Amino acid sequence: EVQLVQSGAEVKKPGESLKISCKGSGYSFTSYWIGWVRQMPGKGLEWMGIIYPGDSETRYSPSFQGQVTISADKSISTAYLQWSSLKASDTAMYFCATSSSIAVRDWGQGTLVTVSS
Amino acid sequence: DIQMTQSPSSLSASVGDRVTITCQASQDINNFLSWYQQKPGKAPKLLIYDASNLETGVPSRFSGSGSGTDFTFTISSLQPEDVATYYCQQYDNLPLFGPGTKVDIK
C-alpha cells in the first residue's frame, strides 16, 4: 500500500525559512514522480511542481518558479518543499502526491503552514 | 501553456438530481483528464481517470466523458455524501487543476 506521510503543522514569521517533508513508503520511490499542491484558505488546488526522485529532474509551475524549492532524498524516500523567506501569502495547506501516470491516487495528509507576525 | 476552465463554479441540487459539470482545456489533451472530489480539510480523491474510467471502489453514479478539449463529469443521482468540491485535472508537461465546482444540497 502506497503511503505518503507529511511533516506536522508549522507556524512561522514572515521572512523565516521553512522546509516541509513527505515520506513515501509501499512503492518504488524512484519510479514515480512526486509533487506538491497548494491550497490557500477557501481556495482551489494548485500544482506547485513535481520531481522525479530517480534523477532529481524538477519542473515548476510558472507561478511558483523561483518562489520555492522542491527536492528529494531517495536514500530515505523523502521529498521536500522549501521556502527561503516566507510571506503571509504562503499561509496554506500543502499536500504532496505521487503517481506513475496522469491519475493521482496517492496523497499525503497535508501540512498546514501558517505565516503570521 | 494549457489553461483549464470549469463550469459552473458552484451549484445547488436536490438529493436524487442529476448533476453535470463541464471542463474545457485550451488545447487538445486527448483523454488525459482526471476528476477529483475534495471534502473540507481532506486530500483530493480520484474518481475518474483517462476522462471516462471509474476508479476502483468509486460508486457507479459518478461518470465522465469527453475527449480533445471538452469533458463532462456527471453524478447521476446526487447523494448527501456527495457534497464536496470537484476538480478536473489534466497532465501536459505538468499537472494542472481546473478552478473547481462546489456542489451543495438544496
Side-chain angles (χ1 to χ4, degrees):
Chain A
E1 179 197 3
V2 175
Q3 278 201 311
L4 296 174
V5 178
Q6 297 185 229
S7 50
E10 301 274 1
V11 179
K12 293 292 208 179
K13 291 183 169 28
E16 291 185 332
S17 63
L18 177 63
K19 192 174 190 177
I20 62 175
S21 65
C22 171
K23 183 172 176 60
S25 63
Y27 72 104
S28 174
F29 185 75
T30 55
S31 299
Y32 291 14
W33 59 262
I34 191 164
W36 290 94
V37 172
R38 182 178 78 174
Q39 188 165 41
M40 298 174 75
K43 301 298 184 184
L45 301 166
E46 303 171 272
W47 281 101
M48 303 173 72
I50 63 172
I51 187 166
Y52 291 84
D55 61 5
S56 294
E57 180 191 350
T58 309
R59 301 175 186 175
Y60 293 94
S61 297
S63 301
F64 295 96
Q65 180 80 49
Q67 306 304 307
V68 296
T69 301
I70 294 171
S71 61
D73 185 340
K74 59 186 178 184
S75 69
I76 55 172
S77 300
T78 300
Y80 301 97
L81 176 64
Q82 184 174 2
W83 295 260
S84 59
S85 180
L86 287 161
K87 303 186 276 287
S89 57
D90 293 317
T91 294
M93 180 72 82
Y94 293 88
F95 294 100
C96 63
T98 191
S99 179
S100 61
S101 66
I102 297 156
V104 183
R105 294 178 172 83
D106 301 300
W107 296 82
Q109 81 276 20
T111 296
L112 181 62
V113 174
T114 303
V115 184
S116 174
S117 54
Chain B
D1 292 351
I2 295 175
Q3 307 297 319
M4 304 296 291
T5 57
Q6 238 181 284
S7 62
S9 57
S10 65
L11 66 88
S12 188
S14 299
V15 172
D17 280 355
R18 184 180 185 87
V19 167
T20 299
I21 299 168
T22 62
C23 177
Q24 188 169 57
S26 58
Q27 64 190 69
D28 191 338
I29 58 170
N30 295 299
N31 66 338
F32 298 150
L33 187 100
S34 305
W35 290 94
Y36 297 82
Q37 175 193 68
Q38 189 189 27
K39 297 185 177 180
K42 299 292 187 183
K45 176 186 175 183
L46 177 68
L47 300 179
I48 302 287
Y49 64 95
D50 293 348
S52 60
N53 292 308
L54 189 67
E55 175 70 350
T56 302
V58 173
S60 59
R61 65 180 180 274
F62 297 100
S63 65
S65 64
S67 66
T69 60
D70 296 297
F71 301 87
T72 301
F73 173 80
T74 300
I75 307 173
S76 61
S77 176
L78 187 67
Q79 300 302 304
E81 61 267 32
D82 299 336
V83 169
T85 302
Y86 293 85
Y87 297 88
C88 59
Q89 182 218 276
Q90 68 85 28
Y91 188 111
D92 181 30
N93 182 48
L94 279 165
L96 175 67
F97 286 111
T101 297
K102 188 172 183 181
V103 174
D104 261 322
I105 299 289
K106 198 181 292 182

